[in-house]
Amino acid sequence: MIRIIKIGGKLIENDAVLNGLCDELSACYRDSVLVHGGGSMAGQLSARLGIRTRMIDGRRITDRETLEVAVMAYAGWANKKLVAALQVRNVNACGLSGCDQKVILAHKREVKEIDWGFVGDIDRVDTGVLAGLLHRQVMPVISPITYDGAGQLLNTNADSVAGAVAVALSRIDDTELIFCFDKPGVLLDVNDADSVIPVLDKEKYAGYLEQGAIHAGMIPKLDNAFKTIKAGVKSVRLTDPCHLDGGTVLR
């Protein structure tokens, strides 16, 4: 089974969390692809450069200056921090963005009610490149910078990248998509870390939604996770970075 593991930029900045994740990966996750974000790192870099960050409903407007910052933060700072931490643990890792070996092709999002700027929506993932690296026991570490095939870099949501990679690789092997976040799993009570739901299927999920038992902030992530399962991913796991075999499993 191939595991696609997604981690956010805020967690990468926490050295204890980063070290715990890389220890886990070095122990038992060699057939894995790591996808990362870096929004908090991009925000910090923007502030240092005096570039204003514009957000709508928690999502970044990517104008030309912001795109340059995103490329520096995601494909540079965050990506190489992860790759270096893995190499220290003898995990042979290779950092990639979408334009490297044309691994992720995207198009600039169409302007409708909002002009998101240089934001990319994914068209294709080259599974041959990723499968080739995995065959050579190299772990791909993918930043959410994609490109349009004509030289234009694009900023793409890291959750979307992870989902697209998992769906694409599911055509050649079973895949598990793991979302790492700051909770031990999907909680029935957000204030109780022991209230993790161990297994969640569509029927149980619908019931919890009807009861209002799942925190509203989790709903978009869970909706998208079930879409990837419908598209061919064997299972999705939501957990914290230091316990990759724990958390909540979606089937």
Side-chain angles (χ1 to χ4, degrees):
M1 177 180 283
I2 301 171
R3 293 177 174 87
I4 296 84
I5 301 156
K6 189 268 174 178
I7 183 169
K10 188 174 289 187
L11 296 177
I12 297 170
E13 290 184 84
N14 184 319
D15 287 341
V17 171
L18 177 65
N19 289 333
L21 171 67
C22 291
D23 287 343
E24 285 263 306
L25 291 171
S26 67
C28 57
Y29 279 80
R30 295 299 174 130
D31 290 326
S32 300
V33 177
L34 188 57
V35 177
H36 65 85
S40 60
M41 299 167 108
Q44 291 176 44
L45 185 55
S46 292
R48 286 161 59 183
L49 295 172
I51 296 171
R52 184 170 67 95
T53 299
R54 292 192 300 144
M55 309 283 284
I56 297 178
D57 297 331
R59 292 184 290 174
R60 192 181 307 272
I61 299 290
T62 306
D63 58 20
R64 194 166 292 279
E65 279 190 323
T66 303
L67 176 64
E68 292 174 356
V69 169
V71 173
M72 287 187 277
Y74 303 165
W77 184 6
N79 190 267
K80 299 315 167 193
K81 184 174 183 178
L82 273 169
V83 169
L86 289 166
Q87 299 287 21
V88 166
R89 292 162 173 81
N90 296 315
V91 178
N92 195 13
C94 177
L96 298 168
S97 66
C99 66
D100 295 304
Q101 297 191 67
K102 302 179 181 179
V103 71
I104 302 176
L105 186 68
H107 63 273
K108 186 175 180 290
R109 183 171 295 170
E110 182 183 351
V111 177
K112 294 182 179 177
E113 294 86 2
I114 300 171
D115 183 356
W116 293 102
F118 294 96
V119 167
D121 291 323
I122 298 170
D123 296 316
R124 178 184 58 79
V125 175
D126 190 330
T127 56
V129 171
L130 299 178
L133 289 169
L134 291 170
H135 180 71
R136 296 196 298 275
Q137 298 187 328
V138 176
M139 182 181 292
V141 180
I142 303 176
S143 73
I145 299 298
T146 59
Y147 93 126
D148 68 353
Q152 179 61 60
L153 295 173
L154 298 165
N155 180 17
T156 297
N157 178 272
D159 282 1
S160 298
V161 171
V165 169
V167 170
L169 287 172
S170 72
R171 300 181 188 119
I172 61 174
D173 199 351
D174 287 343
T175 57
E176 180 178 41
L177 175 57
I178 302 175
F179 286 109
C180 296
F181 66 131
D182 59 356
K183 302 291 183 185
V186 180
L187 304 177
L188 281 175
D189 180 351
V190 292
N191 298 311
D192 181 5
D194 293 326
S195 66
V196 173
I197 303 168
V199 178
L200 194 59
D201 59 22
K202 286 285 291 199
E203 187 177 346
K204 287 182 181 178
Y205 179 47
Y208 285 132
L209 287 180
E210 189 174 339
Q211 298 166 26
I214 291 179
H215 189 270
M218 283 298 302
I219 293 172
K221 189 178 288 287
L222 291 170
D223 286 344
N224 287 330
F226 278 114
K227 285 178 183 176
T228 65
I229 292 173
K230 186 176 181 180
V233 173
K234 191 173 182 64
S235 66
V236 177
R237 187 182 299 270
L238 291 91
T239 186
D240 70 77
C242 300
H243 301 92
L244 296 180
D245 288 325
T248 301
V249 176
L250 276 58
R251 294 195 175 100

